[in-house]
PDB file of all heavy atoms in Angstrom:
ATOM      1  N   ASP A  35       5.233  17.290  -9.074  1.00  0.00           N
ATOM      2  CA  ASP A  35       4.639  17.113 -10.397  1.00  0.00           C
ATOM      3  C   ASP A  35       5.067  15.769 -10.992  1.00  0.00           C
ATOM      4  O   ASP A  35       4.253  15.048 -11.569  1.00  0.00           O
ATOM      5  CB  ASP A  35       5.041  18.263 -11.314  1.00  0.00           C
ATOM      6  CG  ASP A  35       4.283  18.227 -12.620  1.00  0.00           C
ATOM      7  OD1 ASP A  35       3.032  18.170 -12.587  1.00  0.00           O
ATOM      8  OD2 ASP A  35       4.937  18.233 -13.677  1.00  0.00           O
ATOM      9  N   THR A  36       6.334  15.417 -10.829  1.00  0.00           N
ATOM     10  CA  THR A  36       6.833  14.133 -11.328  1.00  0.00           C
ATOM     11  C   THR A  36       6.121  12.980 -10.623  1.00  0.00           C
ATOM     12  O   THR A  36       5.707  12.009 -11.267  1.00  0.00           O
ATOM     13  CB  THR A  36       8.357  14.024 -11.124  1.00  0.00           C
ATOM     14  OG1 THR A  36       8.991  15.108 -11.817  1.00  0.00           O
ATOM     15  CG2 THR A  36       8.897  12.703 -11.641  1.00  0.00           C
ATOM     16  N   LEU A  37       5.974  13.078  -9.316  1.00  0.00           N
ATOM     17  CA  LEU A  37       5.258  12.034  -8.577  1.00  0.00           C
ATOM     18  C   LEU A  37       3.819  11.909  -9.070  1.00  0.00           C
ATOM     19  O   LEU A  37       3.320  10.803  -9.279  1.00  0.00           O
ATOM     20  CB  LEU A  37       5.288  12.321  -7.078  1.00  0.00           C
ATOM     21  CG  LEU A  37       6.650  12.221  -6.396  1.00  0.00           C
ATOM     22  CD1 LEU A  37       6.548  12.674  -4.942  1.00  0.00           C
ATOM     23  CD2 LEU A  37       7.234  10.825  -6.505  1.00  0.00           C
ATOM     24  N   LYS A  38       3.173  13.048  -9.278  1.00  0.00           N
ATOM     25  CA  LYS A  38       1.783  13.031  -9.750  1.00  0.00           C
ATOM     26  C   LYS A  38       1.687  12.363 -11.125  1.00  0.00           C
ATOM     27  O   LYS A  38       0.754  11.605 -11.389  1.00  0.00           O
ATOM     28  CB  LYS A  38       1.233  14.455  -9.796  1.00  0.00           C
ATOM     29  CG  LYS A  38      -0.249  14.511 -10.084  1.00  0.00           C
ATOM     30  CD  LYS A  38      -0.777  15.919  -9.942  1.00  0.00           C
ATOM     31  CE  LYS A  38      -2.276  15.932 -10.113  1.00  0.00           C
ATOM     32  NZ  LYS A  38      -2.833  17.264  -9.875  1.00  0.00           N
ATOM     33  N   GLN A  39       2.661  12.638 -11.992  1.00  0.00           N
ATOM     34  CA  GLN A  39       2.680  12.009 -13.321  1.00  0.00           C
ATOM     35  C   GLN A  39       2.813  10.495 -13.215  1.00  0.00           C
ATOM     36  O   GLN A  39       2.439   9.776 -14.128  1.00  0.00           O
ATOM     37  CB  GLN A  39       3.821  12.571 -14.164  1.00  0.00           C
ATOM     38  CG  GLN A  39       3.614  13.999 -14.603  1.00  0.00           C
ATOM     39  CD  GLN A  39       4.853  14.568 -15.287  1.00  0.00           C
ATOM     40  OE1 GLN A  39       5.812  13.864 -15.567  1.00  0.00           O
ATOM     41  NE2 GLN A  39       4.828  15.868 -15.522  1.00  0.00           N
ATOM     42  N   HIS A  40       3.350  10.012 -12.114  1.00  0.00           N
ATOM     43  CA  HIS A  40       3.511   8.574 -11.892  1.00  0.00           C
ATOM     44  C   HIS A  40       2.439   8.020 -10.952  1.00  0.00           C
ATOM     45  O   HIS A  40       2.608   6.947 -10.361  1.00  0.00           O
ATOM     46  CB  HIS A  40       4.918   8.281 -11.360  1.00  0.00           C
ATOM     47  CG  HIS A  40       5.969   8.435 -12.405  1.00  0.00           C
ATOM     48  ND1 HIS A  40       6.548   9.653 -12.702  1.00  0.00           N
ATOM     49  CD2 HIS A  40       6.512   7.545 -13.254  1.00  0.00           C
ATOM     50  CE1 HIS A  40       7.422   9.496 -13.679  1.00  0.00           C
ATOM     51  NE2 HIS A  40       7.419   8.223 -14.029  1.00  0.00           N
ATOM     52  N   GLY A  41       1.360   8.761 -10.788  1.00  0.00           N
ATOM     53  CA  GLY A  41       0.215   8.282 -10.025  1.00  0.00           C
ATOM     54  C   GLY A  41       0.322   8.431  -8.523  1.00  0.00           C
ATOM     55  O   GLY A  41      -0.459   7.830  -7.784  1.00  0.00           O
ATOM     56  N   ILE A  42       1.294   9.215  -8.051  1.00  0.00           N
ATOM     57  CA  ILE A  42       1.465   9.412  -6.613  1.00  0.00           C
ATOM     58  C   ILE A  42       1.082  10.842  -6.288  1.00  0.00           C
ATOM     59  O   ILE A  42       1.729  11.781  -6.738  1.00  0.00           O
ATOM     60  CB  ILE A  42       2.921   9.150  -6.178  1.00  0.00           C
ATOM     61  CG1 ILE A  42       3.296   7.703  -6.516  1.00  0.00           C
ATOM     62  CG2 ILE A  42       3.101   9.441  -4.696  1.00  0.00           C
ATOM     63  CD1 ILE A  42       4.768   7.420  -6.405  1.00  0.00           C
ATOM     64  N   ASP A  43       0.018  10.997  -5.532  1.00  0.00           N
ATOM     65  CA  ASP A  43      -0.457  12.330  -5.196  1.00  0.00           C
ATOM     66  C   ASP A  43      -0.010  12.685  -3.780  1.00  0.00           C
ATOM     67  O   ASP A  43      -0.222  11.919  -2.845  1.00  0.00           O
ATOM     68  CB  ASP A  43      -1.980  12.387  -5.302  1.00  0.00           C
ATOM     69  CG  ASP A  43      -2.503  13.800  -5.285  1.00  0.00           C
ATOM     70  OD1 ASP A  43      -1.772  14.726  -5.704  1.00  0.00           O
ATOM     71  OD2 ASP A  43      -3.653  13.996  -4.837  1.00  0.00           O
ATOM     72  N   VAL A  44       0.633  13.832  -3.664  1.00  0.00           N
ATOM     73  CA  VAL A  44       1.085  14.330  -2.370  1.00  0.00           C
ATOM     74  C   VAL A  44       0.272  15.569  -2.043  1.00  0.00           C
ATOM     75  O   VAL A  44       0.184  16.487  -2.869  1.00  0.00           O
ATOM     76  CB  VAL A  44       2.595  14.672  -2.406  1.00  0.00           C
ATOM     77  CG1 VAL A  44       3.041  15.317  -1.111  1.00  0.00           C
ATOM     78  CG2 VAL A  44       3.422  13.422  -2.696  1.00  0.00           C
ATOM     79  N   GLY A  45      -0.340  15.609  -0.877  1.00  0.00           N
ATOM     80  CA  GLY A  45      -1.094  16.795  -0.470  1.00  0.00           C
ATOM     81  C   GLY A  45      -0.127  17.922  -0.154  1.00  0.00           C
ATOM     82  O   GLY A  45       0.870  17.721   0.538  1.00  0.00           O
ATOM     83  N   ARG A  46      -0.429  19.109  -0.680  1.00  0.00           N
ATOM     84  CA  ARG A  46       0.435  20.270  -0.427  1.00  0.00           C
ATOM     85  C   ARG A  46      -0.447  21.430  -0.016  1.00  0.00           C
ATOM     86  O   ARG A  46      -1.347  21.834  -0.759  1.00  0.00           O
ATOM     87  CB  ARG A  46       1.220  20.620  -1.689  1.00  0.00           C
ATOM     88  CG  ARG A  46       2.240  21.712  -1.458  1.00  0.00           C
ATOM     89  CD  ARG A  46       3.050  21.974  -2.690  1.00  0.00           C
ATOM     90  NE  ARG A  46       4.154  22.870  -2.390  1.00  0.00           N
ATOM     91  CZ  ARG A  46       4.986  23.340  -3.289  1.00  0.00           C
ATOM     92  NH1 ARG A  46       4.862  22.979  -4.550  1.00  0.00           N
ATOM     93  NH2 ARG A  46       5.953  24.154  -2.931  1.00  0.00           N
ATOM     94  N   TYR A  47      -0.192  21.981   1.167  1.00  0.00           N
ATOM     95  CA  TYR A  47      -1.048  23.003   1.725  1.00  0.00           C
ATOM     96  C   TYR A  47      -0.200  24.138   2.291  1.00  0.00           C
ATOM     97  O   TYR A  47       0.838  23.900   2.900  1.00  0.00           O
ATOM     98  CB  TYR A  47      -1.910  22.427   2.853  1.00  0.00           C
ATOM     99  CG  TYR A  47      -2.507  21.090   2.501  1.00  0.00           C
ATOM    100  CD1 TYR A  47      -1.921  19.902   2.947  1.00  0.00           C
ATOM    101  CD2 TYR A  47      -3.637  20.998   1.696  1.00  0.00           C
ATOM    102  CE1 TYR A  47      -2.448  18.669   2.612  1.00  0.00           C
ATOM    103  CE2 TYR A  47      -4.166  19.763   1.355  1.00  0.00           C
ATOM    104  CZ  TYR A  47      -3.574  18.604   1.806  1.00  0.00           C
ATOM    105  OH  TYR A  47      -4.101  17.384   1.464  1.00  0.00           O
TER     106      TYR A  47
END
Side-chain angles (χ1 to χ4, degrees):
D35 189 53
T36 301
L37 292 174
K38 188 173 185 175
Q39 290 173 8
H40 287 85
I42 300 168
D43 193 27
V44 174
R46 186 177 189 184
Y47 316 99

